[in-house]
Amino acid sequence: MSAPAPAATVLRPARPDDVPLILELVRELAVYERLEHAAVATAADMHAALFGPHPAAEVLIAERGGQAAGFALFFTSFSTFLGKPGLYLEDLFVRPAHRGLGIGRQLMVELARIALARGYGRFEWSVLDWNAPAIAFYRGLGAQPMDGWTVQRVTGAALQALAGASD
């Protein structure tokens, strides 16, 4: 008797009924990144952002053996230098039980295909400095660090203060 064939990975666009699953995956990612305190999105927030009248992002769900194995959340950016949109990957996460099976690579390949099919000029993302496994994974895909660039962010009270600042 031969061994059963390994389960295939299926990538599919998220549907509105996936919002609870997406939030679960986001929270698992937040725990991994030591940022659980920052994962405050609600189901209503996520539903509006992904499936409302003006979707801000898209999600690919990776399933293996009928179970959610991971996800990628991405949105359109824009390069003034290229004069073209780009694909920005906000989050990529593969559950620990499914790592090492090529799922992360499959998600990245599909995102690259989406970028090319849409005529985008680039595909980019950020990675935490301490996340050596992710950095090695991305280097293996041919990604290069953007030396000389540092991500800047304004949130919460600082965002409110900036918006209320007089010119």
Side-chain angles (χ1 to χ4, degrees), residues 1 11-12 20 42 45 51 63 80 100-101 103 114 132 145:
M1 194 180 245
L11 303 182
R12 63 169 180 82
T42 66
D45 294 333
F51 304 105
E63 294 178 331
T80 54
L101 301 172
I103 295 169
I114 289 169

Side-chain angles (χ1 to χ4, degrees), residues 64-150:
R64 190 165 180 85
Q67 294 184 343
F71 81 113
L73 187 145
F74 60 99
F75 54 87
T76 303
S77 61
F78 188 79
S79 168
T80 54
F81 288 4
L82 295 177
K84 293 183 177 189
L87 189 148
Y88 189 86
L89 173 62
E90 178 68 15
D91 289 322
L92 176 75
F93 180 71
V94 176
R95 287 178 157 160
H98 299 277
R99 292 184 186 152
L101 301 172
I103 295 169
R105 181 174 179 75
Q106 286 178 273
L107 285 163
M108 294 297 284
V109 167
E110 184 60 21
L111 292 171
R113 288 177 179 157
I114 289 169
L116 289 176
R118 294 179 183 180
Y120 291 179
R122 61 173 58 150
F123 172 23
E124 58 191 350
W125 59 92
S126 298
V127 61
L128 292 166
D129 293 343
W130 59 260
N131 195 343
I135 293 169
F137 169 69
Y138 296 139
R139 294 298 173 273
L141 297 175
Q144 297 297 314
M146 296 297 297
D147 292 332
W149 294 82
T150 302

Side-chain angles (χ1 to χ4, degrees), residues 19-92:
V19 166
L21 170 63
I22 294 166
L23 283 172
E24 185 179 313
L25 291 165
V26 166
R27 289 191 175 101
E28 289 177 34
L29 170 62
V31 168
Y32 174 77
E33 291 184 341
R34 305 174 203 151
L35 294 168
E36 14 333 27
H37 64 280
V40 297
T42 66
D45 294 333
M46 199 63 74
H47 190 275
L50 299 176
F51 304 105
H54 303 287
E58 299 174 64
V59 174
L60 286 179
I61 304 284
E63 294 178 331
R64 190 165 180 85
Q67 294 184 343
F71 81 113
L73 187 145
F74 60 99
F75 54 87
T76 303
S77 61
F78 188 79
S79 168
T80 54
F81 288 4
L82 295 177
K84 293 183 177 189
L87 189 148
Y88 189 86
L89 173 62
E90 178 68 15
D91 289 322
L92 176 75

